[in-house]
Amino acid sequence: MTESARTPLPGATNGCSCCAPAADATAGRQSADPTGTSAGDATYQVEGMTCGHCVGSVTEAVSALDGVDDVRVELVAGGASPVTVTGPASADSVRTAIEAAGYRVRI
């Protein structure tokens, strides 16, 4: 059996946070300033998501927080994706979970 050269996934070379090598978690860190959309909802503008796996990573990380009832993500590949969180979770805990998953919350 011969081994062929492997090519990286497209997302791994264009900055996809879920597939790219881990970067310094503090790089590009910005403060969260969520906008409320209705009682109990807050929307965060998240950068670095490029695919469905990214959406799943953010959804899983935020859903695991106490006080999160629902998470909705509208993927905007190459831009800021709105992440709407329903429930009484604090903005700091949501921001921390998103950044721990490898993404940036912009102002």
Side-chain angles (χ1 to χ4, degrees):
M1 176 189 263
T2 60
E3 291 188 34
S4 61
R6 293 185 182 196
T7 56
L9 294 171
T13 58
N14 70 4
C16 177
S17 295
C18 68
C19 300
D24 178 8
T26 60
R29 181 171 287 185
Q30 298 176 346
S31 63
D33 184 19
T35 56
T37 55
S38 68
D41 286 1
T43 300
Y44 303 80
Q45 297 300 316
V46 179
E47 297 177 331
M49 298 189 333
T50 60
C51 65
H53 186 264
C54 296
V55 170
S57 295
V58 168
T59 301
E60 181 178 343
V62 176
S63 293
L65 297 173
D66 287 334
V68 172
D69 299 324
D70 187 40
V71 178
R72 292 180 309 277
V73 179
E74 180 184 334
L75 179 63
V76 179
S81 298
V83 176
T84 303
V85 179
T86 302
S90 74
D92 285 341
S93 65
V94 172
R95 179 186 46 80
T96 299
I98 292 169
E99 290 176 350
Y103 304 91
R104 293 169 304 283
V105 179
R106 77 175 188 187
I107 301 173

